[in-house]
Amino acid sequence: MPREWDARTYDSLPLPHLGWGRRTLARLPLRGDERVLDAGCGTGRDTEGLLDRLPDGRVVAMDGSVRMLDQLRERLAGRLDRVEVVLADLTKPLPFDGEVDAVFSVATFHWVEDHSALFASLAERMRPGARLVSDCGGRGNIAAVNAAVADVTGTVSDTWEFAGVDDTRERLAAAGFTDIDVRLRPDPARFERGEQLESFLATVILGPRLDAMADADHEPFVQAVAARLEEPVADYVRLEISAVRG
């Protein structure tokens, strides 16, 4: 079941996701009249950029979080006539009509445990020749943060699927994609010690751990993880995907 998010706090943070979104959108060729699926649209930051690139097109904005989609509706008020807002699980049959001309996704796929099911689900709703461009956490992503968590808790996190290049290429090919380009890009994000780092960790990275804790334990846990980081850095490694629906 997709987890819920603190969407307002998420939107207030200095997210490295902004750069990831711009980079990913720059890799998507568009005429301007397409119908594009934003898979894992979150609060709609990147959906705004998509709409700017699609003056005569439409966006299917899909996410598994009700709060994220509520925040998206606020952000895109006045532009929702060109946006289909869809609450859905990306590994299951996608609940919208017709096909899309492209799929765009930023910082989402690593939250999906079964990437084979994910790519098959997307391919089913893409027209032949449609392009998928995405960014997500890849092999080695936030290794230092996860080591700090393991030091505090004594357990290793299995929350994410940080895939590598070869396994991703194989899964895409099995789902019917061609012209496959998959790359890993180290992209560390630096924060200020204290409130900024701790808020980022709590909202963006440690949420699944905090969901399982009593509220009173949240702040001490986040502070303990932050204290174990040698630098106030989230050591991101991005998995960048480009592929065409065969």
Side-chain angles (χ1 to χ4, degrees):
M1 186 74 176
R3 68 178 298 266
E4 272 303 339
W5 290 76
D6 181 350
R8 291 193 182 278
T9 301
Y10 182 95
D11 240 8
S12 71
L13 293 168
L15 294 174
H17 303 54
L18 296 173
W20 303 339
R22 287 191 291 267
R23 240 171 21 212
T24 307
L25 189 56
R27 293 191 285 116
L28 179 61
L30 293 170
R31 296 184 311 272
D33 60 353
E34 294 92 341
R35 185 189 192 205
V36 180
L37 170 62
D38 187 350
C41 58
T43 63
R45 282 178 167 178
D46 296 314
T47 315
E48 279 189 307
L50 265 180
L51 286 170
D52 292 342
R53 292 277 308 278
L54 296 167
D56 299 310
R58 297 183 60 83
V59 174
V60 180
M62 180 176 294
D63 205 273
S65 166
V66 172
R67 291 177 188 170
M68 287 291 207
L69 292 178
D70 286 345
Q71 188 80 351
L72 175 142
R73 290 185 181 93
E74 288 188 28
R75 176 187 294 277
L76 299 180
R79 306 181 77 178
L80 290 173
D81 58 315
R82 295 196 294 118
V83 181
E84 303 166 59
V85 182
V86 181
L87 179 69
D89 181 337
L90 284 170
T91 63
K92 297 179 180 178
L94 304 184
F96 62 86
D97 294 330
E99 295 179 327
V100 295
D101 302 302
V103 174
F104 169 86
S105 183
V106 178
T108 295
F109 290 175
H110 56 266
W111 291 100
V112 179
E113 182 177 351
D114 188 344
H115 281 195
S116 294
L118 165 68
F119 295 143
S121 180
L122 294 174
E124 185 177 355
R125 306 311 300 272
M126 298 169 69
R127 65 164 180 78
R131 181 171 294 276
L132 162 67
V133 297
S134 69
D135 157 283
C136 64
R139 187 70 45 79
N141 193 56
I142 58 170
V145 177
N146 278 336
V149 171
D151 192 39
V152 173
T153 65
T155 60
V156 177
S157 177
D158 60 356
T159 299
W160 305 282
E161 170 59 20
F162 293 145
V165 171
D166 292 341
D167 46 348
T168 299
R169 289 182 61 87
E170 291 172 4
R171 292 164 178 166
L172 287 164
F177 286 92
T178 62
D179 298 336
I180 297 168
D181 184 6
V182 183
R183 307 180 186 195
L184 287 172
R185 180 201 291 256
D187 196 12
R190 180 172 292 273
F191 301 90
E192 297 174 5
R193 283 277 186 197
E195 183 178 352
Q196 188 184 77
L197 172 64
E198 291 166 14
S199 181
F200 182 87
L201 291 173
T203 304
V204 180
I205 297 179
L206 301 179
R209 290 276 187 173
L210 299 178
D211 290 346
M213 295 181 181
D215 289 349
D217 295 331
H218 288 192
E219 186 174 350
F221 173 68
V222 174
Q223 290 175 345
V225 171
R228 282 164 173 78
L229 294 175
E230 291 186 10
E231 297 182 273
V233 169
D235 53 328
Y236 284 111
V237 178
R238 311 313 297 167
L239 181 72
E240 297 179 335
I241 297 171
S242 177
V244 173
R245 176 71 172 97

